[in-house]
Amino acid sequence: MRQIGWNWLGVLPFFAFALLFLVLPTMNIVIGAFQNPQGEFTLANLAGLASPRIVSSFAISIKISLASALLGCLIGFAMAAAVVMGGVPGWIKGPLMTFSGVASNFAGVPLAFAFIATLGRVGLVTMLLRQWFGINIYAMGFNLLSFWGLTLTYLFFQIPLMILIITPALEGLKREWREAAEVLGASTFQYWRMVALPILFPSLLGTFALLFANSFGAVATAYALTGSSLSIVPIMLFAQIRGDVLQDPHLGYAMAFGMIVVTGLANLAYVVMRARAERWMQ
Amino acid sequence: MTFLTLDHLQKSFGPTRVVHDFDLGVEKGEFVSFLGPSGCGKTTVLRMVAGFETPTAGRVVIDGRDVTRLRPNQRQIGMVFQSYALFPNLTVAENVGFGLRTAGVPRAERAGRVAEMLALIGLPDLGGRYPWQLSGGQQQRVALARALAPRPRVLLLDEPLSALDAKIRVSLRNQIREIQQQLAITTIFVTHDQEEALSISDRIVVMHKGIADQTGTPAQIYNQPATDFVAGFVGTLNRFEAEVLDPARGLVRVEGAEIALDRPLPAGRITLAARPESLRIAAEGIPAEITGVEFLGSVQRLRARAAGREVVLDRFNEPGVALPQPGAQVRLAAAQAGWLVLPG
Amino acid sequence: MRRVWSWAALIVGGLYFLLPLIGTIEFSLRMRRGEYSLDAYRSVLSDPNFRATFSYSVAMAALTILLGVLIVVPTAYWVRLRLPRLRPVIEFITLLPLVIPAIVVVFGYIRLYNTSSILPLTGTASGTNLLLLCGYATLALPYMYRAVDTGLSTLDVRSLTEAAQSLGAGWARIIVRLILPNVLGAVMSGAFLSFAIVIGEFTMAALLNRPAFGPYMQLLGANRAYEPAALAVIAFAVTWGCMGVMQLISRLFGTRMQAK
Ligand SMILES: Nc1ncnc2c1ncn2[C@@H]1O[C@H](COP(=O)(O)OP(=O)(O)OP(=O)(O)O)[C@@H](O)[C@H]1O
Ligand SMILES: [Mg+2]
């Protein structure tokens, strides 16, 4: 009994820290979302989320996060597969992984600057397209401060993150599985559908959930890129915390709660699907 | 015309030639083993038959049809890997049914065939398990069932037993042989374990540095090794330097003992050899000193020094007969047929 | 055929990653009309605010790493040694910061530690600094914990500890003298990753009103044209430096571990 007490003491600092600076603050927001200014229980805040402005901000945020996570997964997968099994020279892998390590952490304000300098109105690519090919992407309706602009920017850290996570998983596919499938008459497509993808499924799903949460909670890039002109959820919440633009602090809590629910659901979906996919794992 | 013909196969990886001019015909229903030391090219030949490697030169012909250019999934071959290579995401039944699924066999028919195969390998109740829930021996049997389910024309096994422990190895190799005979399926079995090859094969190909040194029945390989390498690689061999006294009558002298071989010999010096079980202690013969005695149950293994070399001889245990003691001076002899004359 | 597709994927991906970098560098050199110059860099580097905020963030990053090590190393060690059943729980908690957006966490701080609460950290500058530090430590937690736990997995923690105890070493001594040196490589890779995350962090610093590098960059971006590009190049170089050092370290320590 005393032994157990002592053992727990060893992890006390960790739990105290997690409680004070992670769990309690989050709980506080969640509780705040269900309280009125007098501290009484209410569902009015959540009902307030149904205002068109907030609904549309969630809709566009979810759209951007889905698109950047999906594209990030697809493109990252293609690049990782090219390096692992695509028959390109082996030396490419090292630099690609190093670069992915860097780029996956190159988020936030400087990333926005980089894309403004590249695809902004006077950015390099914008200018070159106009001068060399006569294509004016802005006249064609492109705008960096838009759904596609933001998605394109987020991909800069989403793709490398996918590469970093999926490359080891791809390398874990044994050559014998492929050969066994082939000798049993499977085409390349059948091998992927029946063997490789199901084996990779948990990793793919987990990465997708991570990428989704990653872009759903991203504030800095969007803020530096668009100011407050694009009403995605984190930007609106940012403005709310700074200046109570919703004129109702508790509506802010409800919004933050909504964010937790969305990322939480994404990860819950992952956990459930993973559990189902993992019957065959130890 | 043989059922499976390997016609002057060659394979090079870059500048290094791994398989030289490999020629072999396998009859329908025959069980042929490839035996040889590590790195001699056994796997490479097998992979050329399966279609995973393209021969640098030569042809692979199955049932009269040249399949050299066909992809592995068009060759109707069954293959069993050393590492089992079961698909971890599929159950045992789904693994066994995989080849039927890719061939588009309807579900009901598939289930019947899977049950039949699981019964064949003696695991009728494990269809619902995942590979990680099986022992190594069970996994390899499932791999065998998976390879056999689509009724392949040729079965290839690449060291299927070397990841298993000794006891299961023996029982599983006998099971493989039984199933092979029952289905009469043409089989190539790769191993570097000579006992394995000798015990279950119709014929053995002893490979050495990318060449088939000798092809023959187990008895031929063991009793009449065609090359020095085969003689040394398969079984234990005692060698003696001999001086030929009379080439025509086959009379030689080893350490002062004259031995009549009764077969024509080249003049000069030759190397004589005898298996441990061919040698016996006799009144006349090559002088030797016993250096060690091992009692192995049914067999006694005696070590001796003769003509400056270590010699081993085996004899059956006889309860009434005392073992010679180390240090004893004896003479060694063998029956005429027990003497091998090694080439070179 | 497969090779063609592979090259296509790599080239398209490569272009996507290279163009913004080239674009940014090119843009950062365009400040002087009609010719390329380093004016933007000169302007940034000579800005006293740049130096102040950058050194503030560097200091915060260093403290974050220290705090992270203090929290993570003993915990990961203890869990492996004595409470293996607790591992899933700890792992779950360390992954939470990847799920709960930082903006929500800092929102909670503002509500929980405001001037009218029991623990009015936001009331003073040093209190707010402390709060920001703890926020950064939670951001770094997933990376730090993973790195250290992976490092520990290569050691036989139990035998090492028992050997040290039989020689009469106390807990503090075991952790500082025995465990820490053995997971130093892992700690360092976690540290540089944390550094890369903290140095340009924007959300927490901005909402807690601290004079950090992230908000400074944002402010500059809103008011200037070419300096932001120069800043982006600098930030990319810093990130690259952190990752490069991290890889170097893990390679060095990796070979040393194998040599043993
Ligand atoms: N893809 C390859 N590229 C280059 N060399 C290869 C390749 N595959 C095999 N080799 C070489 O070919 C030789 C024969 O290899 P192989 O795998 O056929 O030997 P093996 O007889 O099966 O040996 P083991 O008993 O160890 O399995 C070896 O020297 C090996 O190094
Ligand atoms: Mg082999």
Side-chain angles (χ1 to χ4, degrees):
Chain A
M1 199 56 216
R2 244 192 67 171
Q3 196 57 40
I4 292 172
W6 272 104
N7 280 344
W8 276 92
L9 216 57
V11 288
L12 197 64
F14 174 84
F15 278 107
F17 177 84
L19 200 68
L20 278 177
F21 297 104
L22 189 59
V23 178
L24 283 184
T26 312
M27 288 306 294
N28 194 284
I29 295 294
V30 173
I31 292 168
F34 292 96
Q35 283 177 338
N36 63 16
Q38 288 73 46
E40 293 151 356
F41 176 82
T42 175
L43 289 174
N45 302 319
L46 294 192
L49 287 181
S51 83
R53 204 172 140 205
I54 297 180
V55 168
S56 82
S57 76
F58 268 95
I60 184 147
S61 262
I62 290 174
K63 248 169 62 185
I64 290 175
S65 304
L66 278 180
S68 77
L70 201 64
L71 287 172
C73 277
L74 286 176
I75 300 170
F77 186 89
M79 291 179 74
V83 171
V84 174
M85 48 189 70
V88 301
W91 60 263
I92 291 181
K93 192 192 147 199
L96 182 72
M97 294 303 276
T98 309
F99 181 84
S100 298
V102 177
S104 65
N105 284 295
F106 185 67
V109 181
L111 178 62
F113 294 167
F115 271 81
I116 291 171
T118 309
L119 280 170
R121 286 185 187 279
V122 290
L124 182 70
V125 171
T126 315
M127 305 271 275
L128 288 185
L129 282 177
R130 199 159 56 209
Q131 283 167 14
W132 291 357
F133 306 106
I135 303 172
N136 185 346
I137 53 173
Y138 275 82
M140 290 163 66
F142 177 81
N143 188 348
L144 201 50
L145 321 181
S146 68
F147 166 76
W148 279 112
L150 214 53
T151 302
L152 203 61
T153 309
Y154 283 178
L155 283 179
F156 200 86
F157 54 81
Q158 302 280 55
I159 295 173
L161 203 53
M162 176 70 177
I163 293 178
L164 284 181
I165 300 176
I166 210 67
T167 301
L170 282 174
E171 283 172 333
L173 291 176
K174 289 194 198 145
R175 188 180 75 168
E176 282 90 349
W177 290 338
R178 193 194 184 99
E179 291 180 348
E182 221 179 330
V183 84
L184 286 166
S187 62
T188 305
F189 175 75
Q190 281 175 318
Y191 160 71
W192 276 98
R193 187 170 60 80
M194 293 159 76
V195 180
L197 282 180
I199 290 174
L200 292 174
F201 191 61
S203 311
L204 287 173
L205 214 57
T207 317
F208 183 81
L210 183 66
L211 296 195
F212 180 87
N214 206 17
S215 75
F216 191 76
V219 178
T221 310
Y223 192 71
L225 204 58
T226 68
S228 341
S229 67
L230 190 67
S231 288
I232 58 175
V233 178
I235 296 283
M236 244 172 112
L237 186 58
F238 187 84
Q240 163 68 12
I241 299 172
R242 273 226 160 142
D244 194 15
V245 290
L246 298 171
Q247 274 124 35
D248 178 359
H250 284 265
L251 199 51
Y253 305 144
M255 250 188 115
F257 174 68
M259 282 185 86
I260 300 176
V261 169
V262 171
T263 55
L265 280 181
N267 281 277
L268 191 70
Y270 159 60
V271 170
V272 171
M273 303 274 268
R274 187 187 164 102
R276 278 181 45 192
E278 272 185 352
R279 280 168 311 177
W280 48 271
M281 286 186 170
Q282 266 110 320
Chain B
M1 191 66 198
T2 50
F3 185 72
L4 167 66
T5 311
L6 310 186
D7 182 13
H8 297 283
L9 280 184
Q10 292 183 18
K11 180 70 190 176
S12 304
F13 290 110
T16 44
R17 183 176 293 189
V18 174
V19 175
H20 308 254
D21 209 31
F22 191 92
D23 231 0
L24 177 70
V26 183
E27 298 295 337
K28 195 168 170 80
E30 198 180 12
F31 189 113
V32 174
S33 291
F34 289 178
L35 177 64
S38 186
C40 69
K42 307 180 293 288
T43 298
T44 307
V45 172
L46 207 68
R47 290 172 62 81
M48 286 193 280
V49 178
F52 296 127
E53 308 282 0
T54 315
T56 313
R59 297 186 311 148
V60 177
V61 180
I62 299 176
D63 203 7
R65 180 158 171 239
D66 186 342
V67 299
T68 319
R69 301 281 146 215
L70 288 188
R71 296 179 42 77
N73 54 12
Q74 301 164 323
R75 291 193 183 194
Q76 287 178 279
I77 277 179
M79 184 147 179
V80 176
F81 299 80
Q82 182 178 349
S83 57
Y84 324 138
L86 293 179
F87 306 125
N89 58 316
L90 301 181
T91 62
V92 166
E94 288 166 337
N95 264 285
V96 174
F98 190 92
L100 303 169
R101 227 171 115 196
T102 60
V105 175
R107 185 180 293 267
E109 193 185 330
R110 215 157 70 202
R113 177 74 178 156
V114 167
E116 190 186 321
M117 294 317 294
L118 289 178
L120 184 69
I121 56 165
L123 301 173
D125 303 323
L126 299 189
R129 293 218 193 155
Y130 284 95
W132 65 271
Q133 297 167 311
L134 302 181
S135 72
Q138 289 172 331
Q139 288 191 51
Q140 197 58 297
R141 280 187 277 169
V142 173
L144 180 66
R146 179 179 71 176
L148 291 173
R151 303 178 207 277
R153 296 187 293 178
V154 176
L155 176 65
L156 308 175
L157 304 109
D158 191 357
E159 304 199 24
L161 305 174
S162 48
L164 302 170
D165 55 50
K167 215 167 192 162
I168 301 173
R169 237 143 104 170
V170 175
S171 73
L172 191 48
R173 84 181 180 212
N174 292 330
Q175 200 180 2
I176 289 176
R177 175 59 161 162
E178 259 169 46
I179 292 174
Q180 184 269 334
Q181 283 176 325
Q182 200 177 326
L183 304 179
I185 183 167
T186 313
T187 300
I188 298 180
F189 180 95
V190 166
T191 178
H192 54 232
D193 181 334
Q194 39 163 313
E195 191 195 316
E196 226 164 80
L198 291 170
S199 62
I200 58 174
S201 315
D202 290 320
R203 277 195 299 156
I204 296 175
V205 180
V206 182
M207 289 183 64
H208 177 42
K209 292 186 179 162
I211 297 176
D213 260 30
Q214 185 177 4
T215 305
T217 63
Q220 281 169 343
I221 297 285
Y222 190 79
N223 294 327
Q224 296 138 37
T227 68
D228 201 17
F229 173 80
V230 176
F233 187 74
V234 181
T236 312
L237 208 59
N238 299 303
R239 291 158 195 260
F240 300 92
E241 293 300 319
E243 187 187 341
V244 179
L245 299 177
D246 185 341
R249 278 173 44 225
L251 191 66
V252 301
R253 183 162 59 199
V254 180
E255 283 290 290
E258 288 190 9
I259 301 170
L261 294 175
D262 243 0
R263 56 191 115 161
L265 293 172
R269 301 194 68 83
I270 59 166
T271 304
L272 268 191
R275 299 284 183 197
E277 67 275 13
S278 301
L279 285 179
R280 59 191 155 75
I281 294 175
E284 303 248 304
I286 305 163
E289 180 185 328
I290 302 288
T291 55
V293 179
E294 286 169 47
F295 185 69
L296 304 176
S298 63
V299 170
Q300 301 167 356
R301 173 157 297 172
L302 307 181
R303 295 183 186 282
R305 235 186 133 63
R309 297 186 190 230
E310 283 296 331
V311 175
V312 179
L313 66 144
D314 290 347
R315 56 185 205 181
F316 284 114
N317 179 41
E318 280 179 67
V321 181
L323 287 169
Q325 293 306 304
Q329 300 292 331
V330 297
R331 285 179 178 271
L332 304 179
Q336 255 179 22
W339 287 113
L340 305 172
V341 177
L342 298 185
Chain C
M1 194 57 207
R2 194 164 40 148
R3 199 168 306 186
V4 174
W5 280 109
S6 302
W7 279 115
L10 287 179
I11 289 171
V12 170
L15 272 181
Y16 169 76
F17 285 107
L18 282 184
L19 281 178
L21 298 181
I22 297 170
T24 313
I25 293 173
E26 197 265 353
F27 202 83
S28 73
L29 300 174
R30 265 202 245 165
M31 192 167 179
R32 204 178 288 174
R33 277 201 163 275
E35 60 172 322
Y36 286 139
S37 71
L38 293 173
D39 283 3
Y41 293 88
R42 226 166 274 139
S43 157
V44 165
L45 292 176
S46 63
D47 182 353
N49 282 332
F50 168 80
R51 290 187 215 160
T53 56
F54 193 75
S55 39
Y56 176 88
S57 282
V58 169
M60 285 306 275
L63 289 173
T64 302
I65 291 165
L66 193 67
L67 182 61
V69 171
L70 281 179
I71 293 171
V72 164
V73 175
T75 307
Y77 163 70
W78 196 249
V79 166
R80 271 190 179 268
L81 186 67
R82 286 291 170 81
L83 300 165
R85 276 192 316 180
L86 218 56
R87 249 183 91 192
V89 180
I90 304 262
E91 248 166 41
F92 175 76
I93 293 176
T94 58
L95 288 178
L96 276 182
L98 295 181
V99 180
I100 305 171
I103 189 169
V104 174
V105 174
V106 75
F107 195 11
Y109 289 0
I110 294 170
R111 221 172 96 91
L112 199 58
Y113 301 113
N114 62 25
T115 40
S116 55
S117 70
I118 330 163
L119 202 62
L121 285 175
T122 53
T124 59
S126 50
T128 318
N129 283 341
L130 184 66
L131 201 54
L132 184 60
L133 179 62
C134 292
Y136 283 171
T138 53
L139 287 187
L141 196 59
Y143 307 98
M144 209 59 169
Y145 186 85
R146 282 221 155 174
V148 171
D149 199 48
T150 314
L152 281 175
S153 70
T154 62
L155 301 179
D156 185 353
V157 169
R158 190 171 295 257
S159 326
L160 267 180
T161 306
E162 279 164 7
Q165 278 176 327
S166 71
L167 295 173
W171 286 120
R173 209 179 159 77
I174 289 177
I175 290 184
V176 174
R177 285 316 229 351
L178 190 69
I179 301 302
L180 202 54
N182 274 304
V183 293
L184 199 60
V187 168
M188 299 266 257
S189 30
F192 278 96
L193 201 56
S194 309
F195 190 91
I197 293 167
V198 168
I199 191 75
E201 202 282 333
F202 170 75
T203 316
M204 286 190 161
L207 288 176
L208 289 174
N209 267 321
R210 298 321 298 152
F213 190 50
Y216 164 77
M217 288 195 284
Q218 191 273 326
L219 201 68
L220 201 75
N223 299 311
R224 303 283 185 83
Y226 299 100
E227 283 89 340
L231 267 181
V233 172
I234 293 172
F236 192 81
V238 171
T239 314
W240 188 278
C242 286
M243 294 298 128
V245 173
M246 197 180 102
Q247 289 216 337
L248 202 69
I249 287 173
S250 55
R251 208 162 297 164
L252 279 178
F253 280 84
T255 50
R256 212 198 65 180
M257 273 172 206
Q258 275 162 13
K260 259 198 252 177

